[in-house]
Structures are given as C-alpha cells and as structure tokens.
Amino acid sequence: MNAEQSQDVQFRLTKAEKLCQSYRVKLTPLRKTLLQLLYENKAPLTAYELLRLLRKFYPKIEAMSVYRILSFLEKYHLIHRVLSCHAYAACNIPEHQHHPQLLLCEKCNHSEEIETESLKQAMDDISTKYAFFASKKPIEIFGICQACAIKP
Ligand SMILES: [Zn+2]
Ligand SMILES: [Zn+2]
C-alpha cells in the first residue's frame, strides 16, 4: 500500500468510528482491525480468509468471533455480504442507507461499490411493474474491470 492508500484507509476508519459513536456502539480494536483488513483488500474476503489474517494480530481468535464481528459490521452498514462469493466487502458509503450495487471483476476478483441512479430507478420500476419487492441484498454485477481490460 502506498502513502495515499493508507491515508485513505485511516480516513475511512475514522469515519466508521464516528458512525459507530453516533449509533452509540463501540468499534472495538478487534472490530476495527477486521474492518481495516477489508478496507485494505480490493477483493472481498471470506470469513476464513479474515480469520487467517486476523490471527497475525490475535493468534487465539476463533471463527465464531469473526462471524460475530461480521454480523455487527453488517448490522451497522459498514460492510456488505457478497452472496456470489460467500465473502464480505467494505461499504464505500456507510453514512447513508442504500441498496448496494457492486461491480465484481471476474479476473482480479476486485469489487467496487457504485451508486448508479438509473439502477436505483430500475429497481423501483421492477417493484411497481411486477409487484416484487427486492430485498436490500447487494446487486452484484460481474465483468472485467478497467485495469484488467487494458492488461495485455
Ligand atoms: Zn455500501
Ligand atoms: Zn480486474
């Protein structure tokens, strides 16, 4: 990670801390470390990948704790569960409620959260036209990201 990236991670962690304060819950060091791992990784991470990474800092941590932290972070909209790869990605816009839209690269596995107004509109149209009320599970769009597309 370069200086700019680590500055960005710190910025997002501070924002997450402030959000937790406003919800009157604590971003404990353990929760913060897990969140940091997700901020640092461009690809979504599974609970077991997170467990492996967390053990570098907390050698005795068990899988159950990881699941508990994940459900805490999900509850407060700091992360999203990526259903197609049974993994978790950090939320880019935790400060406001939204129906997550994720771009997932099939080559490098990176995920990017986007906010496309027309996609939001399309989801509203679907519920009106088909009387089908979509849950807030992420909309997962697969393809090839720009970085992978320009690689020879
Ligand atoms: Zn989000
Ligand atoms: Zn890619």
Side-chain angles (χ1 to χ4, degrees):
M1 261 203 326
N2 63 34
E4 199 184 318
Q5 285 165 326
S6 70
Q7 208 174 22
D8 180 59
V9 168
Q10 285 312 315
F11 175 79
R12 294 173 78 185
L13 283 171
T14 308
K15 188 157 85 174
E17 246 169 355
K18 283 189 186 143
L19 276 172
C20 284
Q21 267 169 23
S22 74
Y23 302 138
R24 296 178 190 286
V25 291
K26 261 213 162 102
L27 194 64
T28 60
L30 190 53
R31 288 167 175 169
K32 200 172 162 181
T33 307
L34 193 154
L35 195 56
Q36 182 169 355
L37 291 169
L38 288 176
Y39 286 156
E40 287 170 352
N41 275 277
K42 289 192 170 164
L45 296 171
T46 66
Y48 276 92
E49 285 167 336
L50 284 162
L51 177 66
R52 219 184 42 230
L53 292 167
L54 277 171
R55 282 202 169 139
K56 288 182 193 160
F57 311 97
Y58 300 91
K60 286 182 178 164
I61 189 167
E62 297 293 336
M64 260 322 286
S65 315
V66 174
Y67 282 111
R68 263 199 302 270
I69 300 165
L70 287 168
S71 82
F72 170 90
L73 296 173
E74 206 185 356
K75 182 177 170 190
Y76 293 102
H77 317 293
L78 292 164
I79 61 170
H80 297 304
R81 193 198 302 241
V82 188
L83 297 174
S84 58
C85 51
H86 306 283
Y88 297 83
C91 176
N92 266 346
I93 35 168
E95 61 276 18
H96 65 85
Q97 293 265 353
H98 55 280
H99 190 168
Q101 308 169 358
L102 302 176
L103 300 182
L104 298 158
C105 179
E106 290 166 13
K107 272 196 175 166
C108 66
N109 299 321
H110 288 182
S111 74
E112 191 187 347
E113 184 168 8
I114 55 163
E115 278 187 289
T116 302
E117 203 52 46
S118 51
L119 194 51
K120 216 153 86 183
Q121 188 59 50
M123 294 307 284
D124 288 344
D125 292 348
I126 287 168
S127 57
T128 314
K129 188 170 175 192
Y130 300 99
F132 183 81
F133 301 98
S135 66
K136 290 280 187 258
K137 291 193 175 111
I139 301 165
E140 302 179 11
I141 302 167
F142 288 88
I144 306 295
C145 77
Q146 194 183 23
C148 288
I150 58 174
K151 259 180 223 158

